[in-house]
Amino acid sequence: MRDPDPRTVVRAREGDLAAFEELVRLLQADAYAFAWHLTRDRTLAEDVTQEAFIRAFRFLKGFRGDQRFASWLFRIVRNCAMDALRGRTRWTALTGEGPERALTDATARIELDAALRAVSREHREAFLLVEVFGLSYQEVADVLGIAVGTVKSRMFRARKALCDAIADEAEADAR
Amino acid sequence: MRCQRAQPVLSARFDGEAVPRPAARAADAHAAACPDCTAFAEGAARIRAAVRIRSASPVPDLVDPIMASIATEQRRAPRDGGAERPPSAAWLRLERSRRQSPARNGAGSGRTLVAAAVIGLVVGSVAVGGPWRPAAEQPLAVAAVADHVRAAAASLRAYSATYAVVERGFLADVAERRFEIDVAFLHPQRFRMDVRDLTDYPSTAWTRTSLTYIEDSPATYRAGSEGCETFAHLCSTTRPTYERSTAYAGGMPLPIDLIVPIATFGSTDGIRVVDTEPLGATDAVHLVMSFERAGPLFPVLELGGTWRPFHRRDRVDVWLDAASWFPLRTTITPSEVPQRRDWEMRFGLPLEPADAPILE
């Protein structure tokens, strides 16, 4: 995952809109991808991405530079996604719609996506941040607000569950 | 070392994490002779390859709408110097206070927008051909305001907000009540409103006026405390609660005047523009009308619960965001018509001065 030039972050913190736009251009694709993985809904992911950058702009002065800017932004994206999903849950409570929804990405690898959906949200988050976005365990810990040891545990459990799911799939295909 | 200890070590090392050398050596030695751990390591590699080569879903270019929202954000308020504080719910907090009777309007069609108040600001900018109206400009004509509101409603796709409401003069024992109203709308006809009564009542036996109203085909759902048909001071403090679901009536307009006052501005009669003036960090169009005229702005009054009464001639002040046409603030203050005094006595109300809001 790309990280911006620290000088761009400093300028953005000082109110330079052009600098903030550079940050948006650099990171909006990754932010959207993360939001999509969390929400599995294209429209919601767009909303989450925009809200995340608005919050990032609003609270940019609070970014202390003690972590990667991208990690800080991803934490905001995650928070926005959780808020959005809680809001969406209020709609589904009475309609009976389940929390899972059909994949919107027609090009996704069906087996892996199906297996990912079977993994708990907590484990899936950690797995995606490491495997898809290339964050270190410490960075994932910063994003999720958990201990590094917990990240290690969740990564292992997610990986184990996916390995087992794919192995079962392969066995079923072989029969 | 056994599998259950070796595999977590293999997993962490696979991610490039530092692992104590003794543990790494032990895990390697175990894995070399263990088919299960070998399979785990190979599976991890296959998964990584699958994840890396999977086609990414098309990523929309969100830079322009994000920067448009940022421009609005910059205009609204100075940036907070604190750390990012995620809200606990998917609601935006806005300075609003409203009450409505259930006149409704249908939602229009429109393009997808971010589910936040700032989306309305983008829409408002598009609709009027320029976002910011200086306070020094002449007040708009009511007809122009109505046009802007209709344009904003037509392009509204999604919205969510939380409103803070203060009601005064409910009862002698409860001089002030506080509520929060969560509103959510999804085009074309999904609407939800939750009223939370946050008042400190004299005892826990008092039934709170907390309500839920949902319109979502194929059902309309309501829950809350039963309304009181008589004067508030004669109502029991404990009210029966209800919960009912009825068939969704698609032809009925939604009570979305809390979001965009389309029903209120369906006619311009009885509405007067006061001025365009600053409200916080934004410009707002200030309008005034009677409570009788402002009915659609206060839908919660008809949904149940117990509310204080308002005289039909009481003054309703509304401030609409000059860019988005979303209501920013609403107040009700007592009117000064002579008939109001008799009315106050009938409802057991004290003399209410005309300079203090009884709802905001």
Side-chain angles (χ1 to χ4, degrees):
Chain A
M1 188 169 63
R2 295 165 290 181
D3 221 34
D5 185 328
R7 292 168 293 183
T8 306
V9 177
V10 169
R11 284 192 290 121
R13 285 185 67 202
E14 291 169 355
D16 184 339
L17 268 188
F20 190 82
E21 184 168 342
E22 282 184 49
L23 299 178
V24 174
R25 290 193 182 280
L26 182 70
L27 293 166
Q28 70 103 20
D30 285 337
Y32 171 83
F34 185 39
W36 183 84
H37 278 297
L38 293 176
T39 62
R40 312 297 281 185
D41 182 299
R42 191 182 305 279
T43 302
L44 207 56
E46 289 183 18
D47 297 346
V48 165
T49 304
Q50 295 194 49
E51 175 64 16
F53 276 104
I54 292 168
R55 288 194 203 178
F57 176 80
R58 194 179 295 152
F59 298 114
L60 190 51
K61 280 195 163 58
F63 174 66
R64 295 183 299 272
D66 54 352
Q67 58 183 299
R68 284 172 64 186
F69 179 82
S71 300
W72 181 76
L73 178 68
F74 264 43
R75 179 161 191 174
I76 297 174
V77 171
R78 180 183 179 273
N79 290 336
C80 291
M82 295 302 106
D83 291 344
L85 288 171
R86 274 191 288 269
R88 181 61 66 93
T89 298
R90 297 172 71 165
W91 284 107
T92 63
L94 289 174
T95 62
E97 295 169 10
E100 296 298 322
R101 48 180 59 82
L103 287 174
T104 57
D105 180 6
T107 62
R109 292 288 295 271
I110 303 300
E111 304 85 6
L112 182 57
D113 277 347
L116 269 173
R117 274 184 290 156
V119 173
S120 76
R121 178 184 59 78
E122 288 176 341
H123 296 153
R124 188 166 65 240
E125 278 180 328
F127 178 82
L128 290 170
L129 285 170
V130 172
E131 285 286 12
V132 177
F133 297 100
L135 269 65
S136 68
Y137 282 14
Q138 181 60 59
E139 288 165 344
V140 173
D142 292 339
V143 172
L144 301 182
I146 57 179
V148 171
T150 307
V151 175
K152 177 181 173 185
S153 170
R154 289 185 185 178
M155 273 305 298
F156 165 66
R157 292 182 192 284
R159 191 167 267 142
K160 181 73 174 161
L162 289 168
C163 284
D164 291 345
I166 290 174
D168 290 344
E169 189 79 25
E171 253 184 62
D173 287 347
R175 284 195 220 108
Chain B
M1 181 179 273
R2 296 188 176 188
C3 298
Q4 66 195 55
R5 291 190 65 185
Q7 289 182 10
V9 172
L10 295 173
S11 174
R13 212 172 53 179
F14 189 65
D15 293 327
E17 295 294 316
V19 171
R21 280 191 188 174
R25 280 199 293 268
D28 286 341
H30 170 84
C34 173
D36 287 343
C37 288
T38 300
F40 173 76
E42 291 172 354
R46 276 201 304 278
I47 290 168
R48 173 162 294 176
V51 167
R52 297 283 166 87
I53 69 173
R54 66 181 290 199
S55 303
S57 56
V59 177
D61 185 353
L62 300 172
V63 175
D64 286 343
I66 288 171
M67 293 313 297
S69 301
I70 296 301
T72 303
E73 182 76 13
Q74 193 177 37
R75 178 181 171 77
R76 273 185 178 274
R79 284 183 295 163
D80 194 300
E84 196 270 339
R85 296 183 297 275
S88 59
W91 308 103
L92 297 177
R93 292 190 172 274
L94 302 171
E95 299 173 35
R96 309 211 179 181
S97 55
R98 317 221 95 212
R99 281 174 45 190
Q100 290 198 21
S101 50
R104 300 169 182 178
N105 62 287
S109 60
R111 57 189 169 87
T112 300
L113 301 169
V114 177
V118 293
I119 291 178
L121 291 166
V122 173
V123 171
S125 300
V126 172
V128 304
W132 320 125
R133 192 183 318 279
E137 283 191 6
Q138 293 292 320
L140 293 176
V142 177
V145 173
D147 287 343
H148 291 313
V149 168
R150 278 192 288 272
S155 52
L156 184 65
R157 175 115 178 133
Y159 186 90
S160 66
T162 296
Y163 307 83
V165 180
V166 176
E167 175 209 61
R168 297 188 179 92
F170 177 62
L171 287 173
D173 291 343
V174 186
E176 183 174 286
R177 297 203 294 173
R178 295 183 175 273
F179 303 86
E180 281 186 352
I181 302 177
D182 293 338
V183 175
F185 166 73
L186 281 176
H187 175 76
Q189 287 276 89
R190 301 180 78 184
F191 177 84
R192 176 165 186 151
M193 180 164 57
D194 295 275
V195 180
R196 291 191 299 279
D197 186 346
L198 307 176
T199 306
D200 289 328
Y201 288 99
S203 85
T204 56
W206 287 54
T207 303
R208 295 184 177 276
T209 296
S210 293
L211 310 166
T212 294
Y213 177 80
I214 300 173
E215 285 207 14
D216 188 10
S217 178
T220 296
Y221 172 85
R222 301 181 185 210
S225 58
E226 293 286 358
C228 180
E229 298 301 325
T230 183
F231 309 134
H233 66 289
L234 299 178
C235 293
S236 169
T237 58
T238 57
R239 308 288 307 155
T241 58
Y242 68 90
E243 184 175 345
R244 46 182 173 262
S245 183
T246 56
Y248 174 67
M252 291 294 290
L254 294 174
I256 66 166
D257 271 45
L258 278 175
I259 301 169
V260 56
I262 186 73
T264 304
F265 286 88
S267 161
T268 57
D269 295 342
I271 302 176
R272 179 171 61 86
V273 176
V274 175
D275 202 352
T276 300
E277 57 198 49
L279 184 68
T282 191
D283 283 342
V285 179
H286 179 188
L287 305 109
V288 66
M289 66 196 81
S290 68
F291 176 73
E292 182 176 41
R293 181 63 181 81
L297 294 174
F298 308 108
V300 294
L301 293 181
E302 304 297 325
L303 295 180
T306 309
W307 303 93
R308 66 150 290 156
F310 296 89
H311 189 271
R312 66 186 185 86
R313 299 287 296 273
D314 282 344
R315 173 183 166 125
V316 173
D317 289 84
V318 182
W319 286 263
L320 302 181
D321 188 300
S324 69
W325 307 102
F326 291 174
L328 294 176
R329 185 164 187 253
T330 306
T331 62
I332 303 178
T333 50
S335 75
E336 294 180 282
V337 297
Q339 307 92 307
R340 199 182 195 277
R341 183 59 192 140
D342 292 335
W343 176 88
E344 287 164 352
M345 293 172 65
R346 284 205 305 278
F347 279 91
L349 293 167
L351 177 64
E352 297 185 308
D355 59 352
I358 49 180
L359 185 126
E360 59 183 326

